[in-house]
Amino acid sequence: MTEMSKIDSRALLADVTEFIWAEGAMLDAKDYDAWLDLWTGDGLYILPIGEGEDYANQLNLCYDNAKMRRDRIGRFQRGFSISSAPPADTVRTLSRFRIEAAGGDLIEVSCAEHLIEDKFGRQRTWAGNAFYTLKVADDGFKLHRKIVRLLNSDGMLNSFSYLF
């Protein structure tokens, strides 16, 4: 992380935490149009399978650029996918925030995510580590990259009707 005073780093941590909590609340509320507006034009949403980090050349649950994010949201909203009809309800907890790096207009943040899915009268729990690259914008932050590494991502996973 670049040199910052403790006060500056605490303020930055509070700001990015508030942003990521707001993003999580949008996803739980299925406010997908607002969520799409959070992204930079060239941002990537990635859910990798396994341990690799060459995301462009490995198998992923999601590797979504702007068009793929819009298409995925469209399927959720129109119910064109069996996994999204009916959509699951979710409640997520995001914790253990750390600023990994900050320089120029980019901030790298990591946190833990626990998500409870409720669908068809049953609940499932998912846990993972989330890694964000946020871009400083005039009105706050934009998502430039979001990677969620689900625990057991290379094990048995069912279809998802929501985003992590």
Side-chain angles (χ1 to χ4, degrees), residues 25-95:
M26 284 177 195
L27 292 175
D28 285 341
K30 299 175 188 66
D31 190 359
Y32 295 130
D33 292 328
W35 183 77
L36 288 171
D37 289 340
L38 293 179
W39 285 87
T40 62
D42 58 347
L44 291 172
Y45 171 70
I46 306 168
L47 270 74
I49 294 176
E51 295 298 318
E53 293 189 17
D54 185 9
Y55 307 115
N57 295 304
Q58 72 183 50
L59 186 59
N60 299 288
L61 293 166
C62 295
Y63 187 86
D64 292 358
N65 60 17
K67 180 187 181 320
M68 292 294 292
R69 284 191 304 274
R70 283 190 309 275
D71 290 349
R72 186 178 305 278
I73 296 304
R75 288 189 301 274
F76 286 170
Q77 291 172 331
R78 292 186 298 279
F80 286 163
S81 170
I82 190 66
S83 68
S84 64
D89 290 321
T90 59
V91 174
R92 72 195 68 222
T93 302
L94 298 152
S95 63

Side-chain angles (χ1 to χ4, degrees), residues 11 18 20 48 60 62 108 113 116 135 138 141 144 146:
E18 183 179 348
I20 293 170
N60 299 288
C62 295
E108 294 179 16
E113 179 173 7
I116 307 296
K135 189 167 190 171
D138 292 337
F141 300 111
H144 183 63
K146 180 179 178 181

Side-chain angles (χ1 to χ4, degrees), residues 61 83 117 122 124 126 155-162 164:
L61 293 166
S83 68
E117 165 198 327
R122 74 165 193 278
R124 293 189 299 178
W126 301 100
M156 178 178 275
L157 296 173
N158 296 337
S159 59
F160 300 114
S161 61
Y162 47 86
F164 286 90

